[in-house]
Amino acid sequence: MTAGLTPSQTVGPFLAIALPWPDGPFVVPEGTPGAIEITGGLLDGAGEPVPDGMIETWQADPDGRFDHPDDPRGAAEPAEAAFRGFGRCTTGPDGGYHIVTLRPGPLPSPDGGTEAPHLDVSVFRAGHARPGW
């Protein structure tokens, strides 16, 4: 027996009610040495601002480590004590967002090479079931 596809779910009205938190955009506190700000605007397919969206980021610290048990090298304390590796920012009326973080470091790849420093970014919007719609 094979199971069919799971029905999609929408992010729904809970996006703006339950998911944001006050310091969500701050992967590190403002003023942290070496902090950078990532800013942008979320637009829909017609070029209109999306005021009900959310941007999430997940990244390694400047040493290329994750304070997480899934890091294949084992969890490690972050290079910067206040660094949490995860940011979440809702978009404003103009679709704008900002994340304050540190530059991520390179990561070892499963094949023994090195991945370029990067941030994983997810984009959500009320009424859409998957990032990036």
Side-chain angles (χ1 to χ4, degrees):
M1 178 166 122
T2 59
L5 292 175
T6 302
S8 66
Q9 300 286 320
T10 64
V11 176
F14 302 109
L15 179 71
I17 297 170
L19 295 177
W21 68 92
D23 70 342
F26 300 96
V27 178
V28 293
E30 278 186 299
T32 299
I36 60 171
E37 186 171 12
I38 299 169
T39 62
L42 183 59
L43 306 176
D44 66 15
E48 296 297 318
V50 177
D52 60 351
M54 186 172 61
I55 307 297
E56 287 185 348
T57 62
W58 172 253
Q59 69 177 89
D61 72 8
D63 292 334
R65 300 294 304 235
F66 291 99
D67 183 16
H68 192 276
D70 286 345
D71 187 314
R73 298 158 293 169
E77 291 293 319
E80 167 61 44
F83 179 83
R84 69 173 171 224
F86 178 75
R88 180 180 284 166
C89 184
T90 53
T91 57
D94 63 351
Y97 64 89
H98 74 282
I99 302 281
V100 177
T101 189
L102 297 173
R103 293 181 187 274
L107 303 166
S109 63
D111 65 1
T114 302
E115 292 181 9
H118 64 279
L119 288 97
D120 293 319
V121 178
S122 296
V123 178
F124 298 91
R125 179 180 181 187
H128 287 81
R130 55 193 159 108
W133 80 96

